Amino acid sequence: MDMPRQERGFEPRSERNDPVVITRSDQTTEGGLIVEIAGRSLTVKLPTAIQAGTPVQVETKNMLVLCDVTRCDATDDGFRLGLILRDSLDRKSVV
């Protein structure tokens, strides 16, 4: 049986609404929501802006990832940040 061919560069997207804590390099933290995950990128909604190029730590109940902010867009209710994954750690493997 022939499988449908995926286009090159296509990454499945997963819409979310998961709580997240973002930690900046100066150790300030801020709560937000993961809006979408696609491959090695995340979209996060926060109440304040973080400049593109800023390294951040993204923490959820089950994962801890290091990311770089690639974009920060103002919205009616805060900011949407585009993040690219640098490194990840499954919290379940940390004892």
Side-chain angles (χ1 to χ4, degrees):
M1 178 157 91
D2 288 336
M3 297 293 285
R5 201 176 122 167
Q6 267 189 338
E7 290 184 39
R8 184 177 290 257
F10 174 78
E11 294 178 344
R13 297 186 182 275
S14 172
E15 290 187 19
R16 306 285 242 220
N17 207 17
D18 299 335
V20 66
V21 175
I22 302 289
T23 304
R24 302 174 195 221
S25 57
D26 65 2
Q27 299 304 306
T28 57
T29 60
E30 185 165 8
L33 292 173
I34 294 177
V35 177
E36 185 176 71
I37 298 175
R40 297 183 57 84
S41 67
L42 303 170
T43 303
V44 176
K45 186 164 70 169
L46 291 177
T48 60
I50 299 178
Q51 184 176 1
T54 303
V56 294
Q57 176 180 293
V58 179
E59 189 174 356
T60 70
K61 184 173 120 182
N62 297 320
M63 71 176 180
L64 178 64
V65 294
L66 302 177
C67 297
D68 290 318
V69 178
T70 58
R71 71 176 200 287
C72 182
D73 303 317
T75 65
D76 290 339
D77 59 348
F79 295 86
R80 285 177 71 105
L81 278 68
L83 307 175
I84 192 78
L85 176 71
R86 285 190 302 157
D87 200 8
S88 67
L89 186 61
D90 183 349
R91 283 201 165 286
K92 295 173 187 168
S93 67
V94 180
V95 179

